[in-house]
Amino acid sequence: MAVNLANGEALAWDSGSLDADTKAMLDNLQPNILQGHVREHMAVLFVHFGDGPEGRRFLRSLVPLMKSAREHLEEVRAFNKAKTPGKPYVGVGISKVGYLKLGHATTAFTDNAFKSGLKRRKDTLSDPPVSGWEKAYQGEIHAVVLIGDATEEPVAATRERVLALLPESADVLGEEKANGLRNAQGRGIEHFGYIDGRSQPLFLADQVAEESGTNWTPFFPLSHVLVSDPLAPAPARHFGSYLVFRKLEQNVRAFRQAEEHLADNLGLKGADRPLAGAMLVGRFRNGTPLRLHGRPSSDGHPVQNDFSYRDDPGSKCPVSAHIRKVNPRDTRDGGLERVLGVMMARRGQTYGTRTDVPWDDAPPETRPTGGVGLLFMAFNSSLQGQFEFTQQSWADNSGFPAEGAGLDPVIGQGRRDTKVTFPKAWGSDRTSPLQAEVPQTVTMKGGEYFFAPSLAFLRSL
Ligand code: HEM
């Protein structure tokens, strides 16, 4: 039976009754797509091939270092039972120009954004000119190799093994090093100090069982992240996913200043001041959603995710808040994100080191203005319909999800000329005087679109 990507039930990946095609799918799919792989430390290598056949041999030689989605899920289970550590994650993505260099026609790929490459989508995404991107990203990137693990040492050792396999005709155009940032409670945060990576589409039955909800259903069908791998030996059983990679630098000082400024403008005092930042993000630093609470609740664990905006016109969570712009959660037309299939699997990691304490209340002047940020990575079944739609039609659209929302205060790109309002107090229907939008504090430094092919394809090279 063909793999049913639209299945309305979460995939019971360990069920004895899985059909042969679904089993083959799991045995040939790369990890980190259906479920995030541990990647506290990461090395990300951007490769340019000088010679097609040598590039093919290199990619094929990486397969023994890789694991399948099924092996990864089994490793996670073993770890949860007995803390048995798994192998490092090695993931591969190939760009459109990469496929051409390897000698493959790309007509079989259906995603137009992928077929254009990120550089040619800069106007759609209001990205900075390519000449302003970091050098490595200005070049012709053919492939990305992602190496991740819980600790630094296995990443360093695996990176050496990968580099040793690289032919002389290939160049590493650039490399990123990512390391997880954690707050005092050990929870993963991003550089502005907020818990991140919490709200995700879930595809697997065991994950869905752990996060049931009455207001928000985290289950999404496999069709959100998987497409058949058109160049694999058996596309009906071999699947892959489109990967967007974007280096997003964060000006932490400017964001903290914007939070302070908004708190002053709203007249927030003492324990209420963190409300200002929460109004920009949609959650307090410890993950408490503004839709549910006007103050950070408990210690933020587990981070709450069972909410929608159905009964909140913006008096609790402003319509302009980052998480509301990028996931409107059922507010319109029976759930836009479901109807349109927009939700993607975010798998980013923070980069850059800090000498300050990212989650504390030290003044903005003590914060970095650059050199730190997010390596934004997400798996999609359609880059155009998911990542690009989210950035362009939601984050960069000042009329979404309601007139006067303005750009996404975290990731919005474009002209910030809307006058926005916030609730006067949490839950109040009275609104603040009109405010200028917060300045842009996240800058795109470069990136590329890739396809993460099946292991079967890589073996066939
Ligand atoms: C959620 C920060 C870039 C899409 C979040 C959360 C934070 C955050 C703190 C809340 C945690 C959670 O709900 O998982 C940031 C920062 C970014 C960034 C600092 C850049 C430096 C992006 C980009 C996109 C995006 C580029 C997509 C175009 C999302 C989505 C959610 C989210 C879909 C989940 C919303 C939900 O389901 O409620 N982000 N983000 N983010 N972000 Fe971002």
Side-chain angles (χ1 to χ4, degrees), residues 79-80 127 129 152 160 162 229 295 304 309 311 324 348 353:
F79 182 82
N80 289 342
D127 278 343
E152 216 168 345
E160 287 307 315
V162 169
D229 181 347
R295 288 239 174 127
Q304 302 163 69
Y309 303 107
D311 306 316
R324 191 163 180 170
T353 45

Side-chain angles (χ1 to χ4, degrees), residues 190-192 194-200 216 246 248-250 281 283 287 303 305 307 309 322-324 326-327 329 343-344 346 373-374 376 386-388 390-391 395 408 410-411 442:
E190 49 69 47
H191 278 282
F192 294 148
Y194 292 77
I195 285 189
D196 196 8
R198 176 55 189 85
S199 173
Q200 294 282 6
W216 169 250
R246 285 162 75 81
L248 301 177
E249 186 173 77
Q250 292 175 254
V281 174
R283 291 184 186 268
V303 173
N305 206 31
F307 60 93
Y309 303 107
H322 172 58
I323 67 165
R324 191 163 180 170
V326 293
N327 182 7
R329 294 193 184 217
M343 290 292 283
M344 59 195 142
R346 291 176 298 131
L374 179 68
F376 178 80
Q386 294 172 280
F387 163 67
E388 286 198 345
T390 307
Q391 182 74 50
D408 183 316
V410 178
I411 60 162
V442 168

Side-chain angles (χ1 to χ4, degrees), residues 75-311:
E75 279 185 2
V76 173
R77 189 155 286 179
F79 182 82
N80 289 342
K81 250 195 203 147
K83 298 272 170 276
T84 322
K87 285 196 312 185
Y89 162 55
V90 178
V92 167
I94 305 172
S95 67
K96 184 299 185 68
V97 280
Y99 275 105
L100 294 177
K101 184 74 198 184
L102 297 173
H104 290 282
T106 51
T107 37
F109 288 97
T110 49
D111 193 85
N112 285 332
F114 171 73
K115 290 207 272 194
S116 299
L118 189 61
K119 292 184 184 82
R120 283 165 59 190
R121 304 297 283 185
K122 70 168 180 35
D123 293 339
T124 305
L125 297 166
S126 305
D127 278 343
V130 176
S131 58
W133 296 10
E134 286 180 6
K135 263 260 149 340
Y137 299 103
Q138 292 185 26
E140 193 176 282
I141 299 171
H142 291 149
V144 61
V145 183
L146 306 160
I147 304 162
D149 203 272
T151 55
E152 216 168 345
E153 195 280 322
V155 173
T158 309
R159 176 183 172 279
E160 287 307 315
R161 291 179 71 184
V162 169
L163 290 177
L165 293 167
L166 201 67
E168 270 188 24
S169 57
D171 291 313
V172 176
L173 294 181
E175 179 169 357
E176 298 291 351
K177 214 174 150 196
N179 47 301
L181 200 63
R182 289 183 179 266
N183 65 12
Q185 288 74 38
R187 319 252 181 263
I189 58 174
E190 49 69 47
H191 278 282
F192 294 148
Y194 292 77
I195 285 189
D196 196 8
R198 176 55 189 85
S199 173
Q200 294 282 6
L202 304 181
F203 309 105
L204 304 173
D206 43 5
Q207 290 185 311
V208 171
E210 276 178 30
E211 195 193 318
S212 57
T214 46
N215 297 298
W216 169 250
T217 311
F219 162 70
F220 283 81
L222 297 175
S223 55
H224 276 246
V225 277
L226 299 191
V227 292
S228 91
D229 181 347
L231 300 174
R237 1 169 64 196
H238 300 148
F239 289 78
S241 187
Y242 292 104
L243 168 68
V244 44
F245 179 98
R246 285 162 75 81
K247 183 173 186 179
L248 301 177
E249 186 173 77
Q250 292 175 254
N251 183 339
V252 183
R253 185 178 303 175
F255 189 81
R256 287 298 180 102
Q257 278 162 345
E259 287 178 325
E260 294 295 327
H261 192 64
L262 182 59
D264 291 343
N265 284 356
L266 297 178
L268 299 171
K269 304 242 177 318
D272 278 332
R273 285 185 73 79
L275 191 56
M279 286 193 186
L280 301 177
V281 174
R283 291 184 186 268
F284 287 92
R285 280 186 209 152
N286 78 348
T288 305
L290 208 45
R291 170 66 187 86
L292 299 182
H293 301 280
R295 288 239 174 127
S297 70
S298 65
D299 76 340
H301 186 70
V303 173
Q304 302 163 69
N305 206 31
D306 185 16
F307 60 93
S308 85
Y309 303 107
R310 245 169 263 138
D311 306 316

